[in-house]
Amino acid sequence: MGTTGTVLAQEANFYRVRLDDGLGMVLCTRRARLKKTGQSVLVGDRVEVAEIDSASGRGVIAATCARRSVLSKPPIANCTGVLVVFALSEPTYDPALLSRFLVHIEAEKLGTIVCLNKIDEVPSEAVDGAAAAVGGWGYAVRPVSARTGAGIEALRAELAGMYVLAGPSGAGKSSLLNHLHPGLALRVGDISARLGRGRHTTRHVELFALNAEALVADAPGFNQLELTLAPERLAGYFPEFRPYLGRCQFRNCLHRDEPGCAVREAHLERYGIYREFLAEVLVSAQKQRRTAEPEEAIRLRGGLRRGKAVAVPRLEEQLRETSRRTARQQLGRFDETAADEAD
C-alpha cells in the first residue's frame, strides 16, 4: 500500500496532493486505469499515492478512497459543510438569492454557516435584522468584515473539517479567505457598476489549510443556481417549514393553495420565496418528463394517410396557434349564439 493524502487542487491533468503525517506536498498524475474504469479524482478526495519521487516532488494517484459526500457545484468531495458568504452591501443583500444557495446545500445534506460580510458598510440595525432573520430560518450566522477583520478570529476558531466557500460574486469570498489564511494574497475583484454584482476572480477549485484541522475551499463563483429539485421535496429544504410538514390536510400537499395547509397557515417569512421556487421546480419537472417521454414532445404532421407523416416538435401550449378545425368550431358556436340572440 502506498502513502495516503488529500487532493488540495487540480489544474488540467495534474493534482496537488498533501501527504499525511507531514510528508509534504507532491504533484501527481492519475493512473490510466482510473480513467479507463471511470473513476474521477476530485478536490477533497482521499487518495493513495505511489511512485513518489521526493527529489522532484512528483507521484502518481493509484487509487481513491470512499467518499463521505460529493458536491457537484463546485466539484468537491468529503465536505464537512458550506460557508455561505453574502454581503450586506455592494452587491445588495438579497434573501431570495441566499435562500437559493441554502436550498441547494440542504439538498446535499451538508451543514451550513452563513457569513454576513461587509458589516462595516451598513448600520448596526441592518446587521442585527439580517442576522436575526437568517437565524430564524435555522442557520448559524456569523457577521464579519473582510475589510476590517471584525469577527474573523471567532470564525476561524469555529471551523474544523473541510468547508467550501459559496456565495455570489462580489460578496467577498476571496477577501475573507485572505484574512483566514494570511499570505495567500488571492486576487480580489471589484463590483461592476453596470451589473451591480461582482466579477469572477477565482478560476479553479483549491483547498487551503487554515490549521491542522481545517481546510477551506475557494471555488469559481456563480450568481444563479437553477433549481431542478423534486417539487414534493422542496419544502423539506426549508428548515423552518419542517415542524409543519405532515400536519397538512392532504399527504401530497405542495403548500400552494390546498385547503388545510399547515405551512401556508403558519405565515412563515420565506413562504413567498418558497412559492417562487416551487413554480420554478414544477416547470423543470415538466421539462424533464417531456425529455424522458419523447412521444409527448413531438407530433406528426402531414401525410398521415400515405404513411409519410413527419415528426415535428410540439410547441408549448401558450405558443401554439389555433388549428383550422378548432377555429371553424369556435366560429360555428359564435354564429349559433348570434342567431339565438337575434331570435
Side-chain angles (χ1 to χ4, degrees):
M1 181 176 178
T3 303
T4 57
T6 302
V7 178
L8 297 188
Q10 174 189 0
E11 292 189 55
N13 295 322
F14 293 92
Y15 304 86
R16 192 160 69 249
V17 180
R18 185 181 68 175
L19 301 178
D20 296 340
D21 302 324
L23 298 178
M25 200 87 65
V26 291
L27 188 65
C28 299
T29 57
R30 62 171 173 168
R31 282 187 173 160
R33 174 175 55 82
L34 295 178
K35 184 176 182 179
K36 290 179 180 178
T37 56
Q39 299 183 55
S40 62
V41 178
L42 300 178
V43 171
D45 264 331
R46 296 284 300 159
V47 296
E48 180 182 330
V49 182
E51 303 177 20
I52 298 176
D53 183 351
S54 56
S56 63
R58 298 295 185 96
V60 176
I61 295 177
T64 58
C65 303
R67 295 165 177 163
R68 297 191 305 272
S69 63
V70 179
L71 274 174
S72 57
K73 290 183 179 181
I76 299 177
N78 301 318
C79 292
T80 302
V82 181
L83 184 61
V84 183
V85 183
F86 259 69
L88 294 177
S89 170
E90 294 187 12
T92 304
Y93 174 67
D94 184 356
L97 182 57
L98 173 57
S99 296
R100 186 173 291 268
F101 278 88
L102 295 175
V103 164
H104 276 273
I105 297 168
E106 289 287 341
E108 299 287 350
K109 300 179 180 180
L110 294 173
T112 307
I113 298 176
V114 177
C115 192
L116 297 177
N117 192 18
K118 303 185 182 182
I119 60 174
D120 58 304
E121 300 180 12
V122 296
S124 58
E125 295 80 5
V127 176
D128 295 340
V134 177
W137 302 347
Y139 295 99
V141 186
R142 300 295 177 266
V144 301
S145 171
R147 188 175 69 86
T148 66
I152 300 294
E153 289 303 320
L155 177 63
R156 181 190 290 112
E158 185 176 354
L159 297 177
M162 185 186 300
Y163 280 83
V164 180
L165 284 174
S169 298
K173 299 187 295 296
S174 295
S175 298
L176 178 63
L177 191 52
N178 282 336
H179 268 285
L180 290 172
H181 193 302
L184 281 180
L186 295 176
R187 190 162 64 93
V188 177
D190 54 0
I191 303 297
S192 168
R194 181 174 65 87
L195 299 177
R197 60 174 183 263
R199 299 188 175 101
H200 300 293
T201 57
T202 306
R203 301 304 180 192
H204 62 278
V205 180
E206 184 169 0
L207 281 169
F208 299 99
L210 303 186
N211 51 54
E213 299 179 351
L215 291 167
V216 174
D218 193 20
F222 39 83
N223 290 327
Q224 296 291 336
L225 294 168
E226 183 181 2
L227 293 174
T228 57
L229 308 168
E232 63 273 13
R233 294 179 179 269
L234 179 62
Y237 300 143
F238 287 72
E240 70 273 34
F241 285 22
R242 291 170 188 161
Y244 304 95
L245 299 180
R247 295 167 55 183
C248 298
Q249 181 176 341
F250 299 101
R251 294 181 60 184
N252 61 344
C253 183
L254 288 180
H255 318 296
R256 291 182 296 180
D257 303 312
E258 298 90 338
C261 175
V263 173
R264 187 181 70 251
E265 294 172 357
H267 303 291
L268 300 169
E269 179 185 359
R270 289 199 295 171
Y271 180 70
I273 295 174
Y274 166 79
R275 291 287 296 258
E276 293 177 8
F277 290 178
L278 181 62
E280 183 176 337
V281 298
L282 287 171
V283 171
S284 176
Q286 185 180 28
K287 291 180 179 179
Q288 290 177 359
R289 285 195 299 270
R290 290 180 177 176
T291 302
E293 302 175 2
E295 64 275 8
E296 293 187 3
I298 62 174
R299 66 184 181 92
L300 299 178
R301 183 177 68 183
L304 294 177
R305 295 180 181 178
R306 299 186 299 274
K308 297 181 180 180
V310 178
V312 296
R314 187 185 298 275
L315 293 174
E316 298 288 346
E317 185 174 354
Q318 64 270 25
L319 301 179
R320 299 176 193 167
E321 292 184 0
T322 304
S323 69
R324 284 175 291 183
R325 175 182 295 179
T326 301
R328 286 196 297 267
Q329 292 172 346
Q330 292 174 346
L331 183 60
R333 287 196 296 269
F334 174 78
D335 292 340
E336 292 175 359
T337 301
D340 292 341
E341 292 177 352
D343 293 341

